[in-house]
Amino acid sequence: MFKQAIVALSVVAALGMVVGCKDTAGGASSTTGGIKQPDPNSPDWDPSGGKKIAEGEAIKIGFVVKQPEEQWFRDEWKYAGDAAKKYGFELLTREGQDATKVEKAITSLASVGAQGFIICTPDVKLGQSILQLAKKYKLKLFSVDDQLVDADGNPLPVHHMGISATEIGKAMGKAIDEEMKKRKWDVQEVGLLVPTWKQLPTASERTEGAKAALKEAGFPEAQMYEVAQKSTDVQGGYNACNIAITQHPEVKKWLVCGMNDEAVLGAVRALEGHKFYTDAVIGVGIGGTQTSIDEFEKAQATGFFGTIKISPKRHGYETAEMMYKWIKDGTEPPKTTYTAGSLMTRADFKAKMKE
């Protein structure tokens, strides 16, 4: 099944929207061929998943992320590690950048005696295969950040903590609009750059939310310019926006929104290359990670005005804590938990980070 997913979803190798504690990625690979898909209506379907632990058995929890090189995921691992220290369980970190590595990671966790795992998948449509592997190895399953879906795009019955992507996007759009009005810009001279990543639903929902908020505030849809990223990092944002800026010489001032801080910062760098600086750019990202902090700490302000800060602590610490209590005490987590965010700018980032 995963081998089929590799062919059908080769794009996930490019996917990024981010210090292991006890262990690193590894373990032998296995095949899931011939295993039936899980049926939530079947009498043997156990929504709680997993196996009971024996008295005194050590608790081991896996945490699989799609982009271990990104700050967001490193922070998730870090805070999950804090939960491990508090409760005394073993945290097993794994990399899952594509379908093959996801399968290898889950198989590895099962081989070393993990009772459950948390995962941010490189592609949400791997959900059925991930769920089937969890059932096969009797591992409790908890998705984080990106919700697992079936082949038709419907959410699977898996416990999940994520971001309300549309609402986060609307907060981004509202922040951009408020700053534009504060500067008293003539909207007819303004364009909106929207670097996008349509392959990931939560990424698309963020930018669509921002556009919706701006349209509601009266910004013309005709002056919104979506551009497709080929990667979700700074370079991806830069490359996507560079051509669009050249194509619209009539625009005198630019607004920028994107799926994450990196996309927006890439757009800001591209605008600087076209001589659009702080007084002509309002860029707001999502994340509040080190990328945005480094930008705010520069001696001179840039067009990167702000970021909607979301908390990797909740996504790392709380998911690990809930998984631990689920395994140890049988306390089932809420089916779905959504986290929110707040605007952080150069003016208040030190106080916000301290909080």
Side-chain angles (χ1 to χ4, degrees):
M1 183 181 300
F2 266 75
K3 292 180 175 61
Q4 295 171 346
I6 296 168
V7 176
L9 299 169
S10 59
V11 68
V12 303
L15 280 175
M17 287 199 51
V18 282
V19 207
C21 198
K22 289 278 189 172
D23 208 345
T24 56
S29 179
S30 68
T31 178
T32 57
I35 300 173
K36 293 182 180 179
Q37 296 296 332
D39 178 9
N41 298 314
S42 170
D44 62 357
W45 165 250
D46 177 8
S48 69
K51 55 189 175 184
K52 291 182 179 179
I53 62 169
E55 185 69 27
E57 182 181 351
I59 294 178
K60 299 179 181 181
I61 296 172
F63 205 123
V64 184
V65 301
K66 64 184 179 182
Q67 272 189 297
E69 73 280 3
E70 283 200 5
Q71 187 65 43
W72 171 265
F73 295 112
R74 292 200 298 270
D75 286 345
E76 284 187 334
W77 275 351
K78 173 184 178 294
Y79 291 119
D82 289 344
K85 291 174 185 175
K86 177 179 177 179
Y87 291 104
F89 63 84
E90 185 175 357
L91 180 70
L92 309 171
T93 61
R94 295 289 188 270
E95 301 178 6
Q97 296 96 324
D98 55 37
T100 299
K101 289 185 177 180
V102 167
E103 181 188 17
K104 185 177 180 180
I106 298 170
T107 303
S108 168
L109 292 171
S111 71
V112 296
Q115 295 93 359
F117 67 98
I118 300 150
I119 184 168
C120 179
T121 176
D123 190 285
V124 292
K125 288 187 178 179
L126 293 175
Q128 290 277 24
S129 298
I130 292 168
L131 180 55
Q132 187 58 56
L133 277 174
K135 286 177 63 65
K136 175 184 178 182
Y137 294 122
K138 294 182 171 57
L139 298 170
K140 292 185 185 296
L141 171 60
F142 200 123
S143 64
V144 68
D145 302 335
D146 302 329
Q147 192 166 24
L148 303 178
V149 300
D150 62 20
D152 297 320
N154 301 310
L156 288 169
V158 172
H159 295 77
H160 176 69
M161 177 181 283
I163 300 161
S164 180
T166 299
E167 293 305 313
I168 290 284
K170 287 180 178 179
M172 176 168 55
K174 182 180 178 182
I176 291 170
D177 177 66
E178 288 177 351
E179 182 61 19
M180 178 179 65
K181 289 175 178 174
K182 182 179 177 181
R183 298 187 191 187
K184 298 181 180 179
W185 283 3
D186 179 356
V187 72
Q188 297 306 315
E189 298 181 343
V190 181
L192 173 69
L193 272 176
V194 190
T196 61
W197 186 259
K198 295 290 189 182
Q199 296 93 321
L200 186 62
T202 186
S204 181
E205 288 165 11
R206 293 179 186 188
T207 51
E208 287 301 316
K211 287 165 58 183
L214 283 160
K215 281 189 281 187
E216 187 176 338
F219 191 87
E221 187 173 4
Q223 290 165 225
M224 298 181 178
Y225 308 113
E226 277 198 353
V227 287
Q229 298 172 247
K230 292 185 178 179
S231 63
T232 60
D233 54 9
V234 174
Q235 191 65 45
Y238 178 93
N239 292 340
C241 295
N242 200 32
I243 297 174
I245 298 165
T246 304
Q247 291 173 335
H248 296 282
E250 76 282 3
V251 176
K252 306 303 180 187
K253 294 181 174 66
W254 285 99
L255 311 175
V256 186
C257 66
M259 65 166 285
N260 57 15
D261 290 338
E262 288 75 13
V264 173
L265 187 57
V268 169
R269 293 287 95 90
L271 285 163
E272 290 169 348
H274 291 269
K275 303 190 183 307
F276 289 94
Y277 301 111
T278 310
D279 60 345
V281 180
I282 301 170
V284 176
I286 293 177
T289 58
Q290 195 62 43
T291 298
S292 60
I293 295 168
D294 289 345
E295 196 71 4
F296 294 146
E297 287 181 335
K298 289 184 175 179
Q300 298 295 323
T302 72
F304 189 90
F305 172 74
T307 178
I308 305 300
K309 187 182 184 304
I310 50 182
S311 174
K313 181 173 183 178
R314 291 199 65 189
H315 290 229
Y317 187 96
E318 289 188 25
T319 55
E321 179 182 51
M322 287 191 284
M323 177 63 80
Y324 169 78
K325 292 180 178 179
W326 192 13
I327 293 168
K328 183 178 183 295
D329 306 320
T331 304
E332 187 175 352
K335 289 293 185 183
T336 307
T337 303
Y338 286 116
T339 60
S342 60
L343 178 66
M344 182 173 74
T345 69
R346 181 183 174 91
D348 64 10
F349 80 96
K350 290 182 180 178
K352 287 285 181 74
M353 293 307 296
K354 188 175 181 180
E355 290 172 8

